Amino acid sequence: MSSAQAAAPAPSAASAEQFLRGLYAKYTTNGKPTPFVYPDAKNIVDAQMLALLKHDQDKSQGEVGAMDGDPVCNCQDWDGLKITSLRTAVQGNNAATADVAFTNAGSSEKIHFALVWANGSWRIHDIGTKDQPSLVAYLKTYKY
């Protein structure tokens, strides 16, 4: 086993938390989070979500599609985003759920993630909020 393989995270609650903390760490004042659009999101989402993002991009024909904001922060802009709580739970060998609470621009948010372990790292399978419990369901049923 090479040292790179030995350093790779395992599919655990701790590695799922590490993935999400890394994702949110980019939401700083001058940060550049990964755009949640096709193809930019390919390193943070699973194949199903990536296909839905591509479908949204294709159907929207250069206009605003199904999403008019970033589902990771449930926002269009961020300012002073700070995680206040992050809980993860492994669901079998290659899936996890996570609940992230944070403040952004003085408002509190809670996001639920369904994660999958793919190709040696965690990927977002679905995102939910109190107003939109499943981004996957929303993207599948959105009328263009």
Side-chain angles (χ1 to χ4, degrees):
M1 181 182 294
S2 73
S3 62
Q5 289 172 322
S12 65
S15 63
E17 179 176 339
Q18 182 181 12
F19 167 74
L20 289 169
R21 286 194 183 277
L23 191 67
Y24 279 100
K26 297 177 183 177
Y27 288 84
T28 62
T29 303
N30 296 317
K32 296 192 185 310
T34 302
F36 207 88
V37 296
Y38 178 86
D40 299 338
K42 70 180 181 275
N43 291 324
I44 62 168
V45 301
D46 71 353
Q48 178 187 4
M49 179 65 77
L50 191 63
L52 290 168
L53 294 176
K54 181 173 185 342
H55 176 78
D56 182 52
Q57 184 180 70
D58 292 347
K59 290 296 236 176
S60 62
Q61 300 176 348
E63 299 296 323
V64 173
M67 296 185 304
D68 65 351
D70 183 336
V72 173
C73 65
N74 196 26
C75 66
Q76 291 180 337
D77 298 304
W78 56 92
D79 181 29
L81 193 147
K82 182 178 187 280
I83 293 175
T84 56
S85 171
L86 197 162
R87 286 183 272 174
T88 59
V90 173
Q91 310 286 315
N93 291 332
N94 63 350
T97 58
D99 291 300
V100 182
F102 57 90
T103 57
N104 180 30
S107 296
S108 296
E109 284 288 342
K110 291 182 182 177
I111 309 283
H112 178 77
F113 288 89
L115 305 173
V116 295
W117 185 259
N119 300 318
S121 63
W122 288 107
R123 298 285 192 257
I124 299 167
H125 175 70
D126 201 1
I127 298 176
T129 65
K130 68 178 174 136
D131 296 326
Q132 183 177 292
S134 171
L135 180 58
V136 167
Y138 174 72
L139 291 172
K140 284 182 175 181
T141 59
Y142 185 78
K143 304 293 183 213
Y144 293 89

